[in-house]
């Protein structure tokens, strides 16, 4: 992060970690290697990134506490310095990602008969408490009234197919994390700040890419002109309650590896291919009773079969020797499943109406083919990884290893 514009970074590089011991295991890139992953990176006095400041002394400390303490420090130091430049602070809490680990005090405060659900709720409560501390610090330092707070999740909960003890629930939405159903992609979010009417609900579709142009506009600057045209849309007028339609469509996913595509046009959602390899179509009920458990549905592939299929699709994709840039190319030789849902009338995705809306589907396919012209090669293919990235080369820690190349 400090090589990408941030002045400081406190946290871990991987997608998940042990909340207390800060061990992270990467299953895709280096074959399941584990290393210590908690650091404080910063820019030194000569403007160079420092990325080897490992926080060994934080081993055993709940990472939620580490991040909140650093956030409070950054806010206080910024205001004490008299610096009138805008402060941009990103808090990417791990809560409530697996593994479900939480201090006993939060689990007990959360309550509930089901242990998995209780621990999950405890993680949410711990995050909520930390957000409250940050807001209190903004208020104490006198900058709350000039601050915009954006709260957003990254994806829906993992239920059934990834970890049936996660304690999460997306009910009554369909599916789970990792797929294309609304349970995977539709997440809670709110925006609070000056000139934003309180209590309003924005019904228009909003995409994560909208945050960049919106934040840039709020800071009084323009997105970088040397980049390709953005997918994001400036939400300022929408947030202020103005009658602003915003975006007409957005892409959920165009995946030439797993061969799945989804797009939303107004209130219509089109899914091509499976909603996700190995994903269940279930609507999982919330865990309430002490004996409640989640079970894999019959439509769910075992992990070994799922992984083998994923690797085979990667191999087939590489054999093409080029990037598919059309719907026809991605699905060549495949049985393409087509699903269409009207999310205004069917937000839980019960009724596939594709058979009666052929012209609309054709319109959405034209949009997809147009968007795919500018698509870039996927860089996160499951390739077995780079041995040079292993923590074994860096005293058991995760470190940058490409030296800026």
């Amino acid at each position: 992060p400090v090589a990408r514009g941030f002045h400081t970074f406190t946290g871990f590089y991987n997608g998940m970690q042990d909340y207390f011991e800060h061990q992270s295991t990467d299953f895709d890139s280096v074959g399941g290697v584990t290393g210590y992953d908690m650091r404080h990176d910063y820019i030194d006095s000569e403007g160079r990134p420092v990325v080897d400041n490992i926080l060994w002394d934080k081993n055993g400390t709940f990472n939620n506490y580490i991040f909140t303490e650093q956030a409070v420090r950054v806010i206080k130091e910024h205001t004490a310095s008299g610096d009138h430049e805008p402060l941009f602070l990103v808090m990417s809490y791990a809560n409530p990602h697996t593994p479900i680990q939480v201090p006993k005090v939060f689990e007990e405060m959360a309550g509930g008969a089901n242990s998995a659900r209780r621990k999950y709720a405890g993680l949410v409560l711990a995050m909520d408490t930390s957000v409250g501390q940050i807001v209190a610090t903004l208020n104490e330092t006198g900058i709350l009234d000039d601050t915009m707070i954006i709260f957003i999740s990254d994806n829906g909960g993992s239920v059934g197919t990834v970890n049936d003890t996660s304690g999460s629930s997306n009910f009554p939405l369909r599916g789970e994390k990792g797929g294309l159903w609304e349970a995977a992609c539709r997440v809670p979010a709110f925006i609070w700040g000056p000139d934003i009417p309180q209590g309003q609900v924005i019904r228009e579709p909003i995409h994560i890419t909208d945050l960049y142009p919106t934040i840039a506009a709020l800071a009084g600057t323009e997105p970088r002109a040397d980049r390709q045209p953005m997918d994001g849309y400036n939400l300022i007028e929408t947030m202020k309650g103005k009658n602003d339609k915003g975006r007409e469509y957005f892409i959920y996913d165009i995946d030439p590896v797993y061969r799945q595509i989804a797009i939303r046009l107004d209130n219509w959602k089109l899914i091509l291919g499976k909603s996700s390899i190995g994903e269940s179509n279930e609507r999982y009920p919330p865990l309430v009773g002490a004996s409640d458990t989640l079970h894999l549905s019959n439509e769910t592939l075992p992990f070994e079969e799922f992984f083998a299929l994923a690797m085979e699709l990667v191999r087939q994709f590489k054999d093409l020797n080029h990037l598919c840039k059309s719907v026809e190319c991605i699905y060549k030789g495949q049985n393409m499943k087509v699903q269409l849902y009207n999310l205004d009338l069917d937000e839980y995705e019960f009724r596939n109406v594709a058979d009666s809306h052929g012209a609309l589907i054709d319109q959405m396919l034209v949009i997809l083919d147009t968007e795919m012209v500018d698509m870039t090669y996927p860089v996160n293919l499951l390739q077995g990884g780079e041995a040079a990235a292993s923590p074994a080369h860096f005293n058991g820690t995760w470190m940058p290893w490409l030296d800026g190349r």
Side-chain angles (χ1 to χ4, degrees), residues 266-279:
D266 294 326
N267 56 303
W268 295 96
K269 178 177 179 180
L270 176 68
I271 301 176
L272 303 176
K274 281 195 170 186
S275 58
S276 183
I277 296 173
E279 185 214 0

Side-chain angles (χ1 to χ4, degrees), residues 26 72 88 104 155 157 163 165 171 186-187 262 288 328 352 393-394:
D26 189 287
V72 169
F88 180 61
K104 200 71 175 176
N155 49 252
N163 187 329
T165 59
F171 189 82
R186 181 175 169 181
V187 297
V288 179
E328 180 184 5
N352 179 9
H393 302 301
F394 305 104

Side-chain angles (χ1 to χ4, degrees), residues 17 24 88 91 114 129 146 149 160 182 193 212 242 267 326 357 366 399 405:
Q17 69 164 198
S24 293
F88 180 61
M91 298 299 301
N114 186 272
T129 302
D146 195 32
I149 298 172
E182 289 299 282
Y212 174 41
K242 303 289 180 66
N267 56 303
S326 71
H357 292 83
V366 170
M399 290 286 291
R405 283 180 283 153

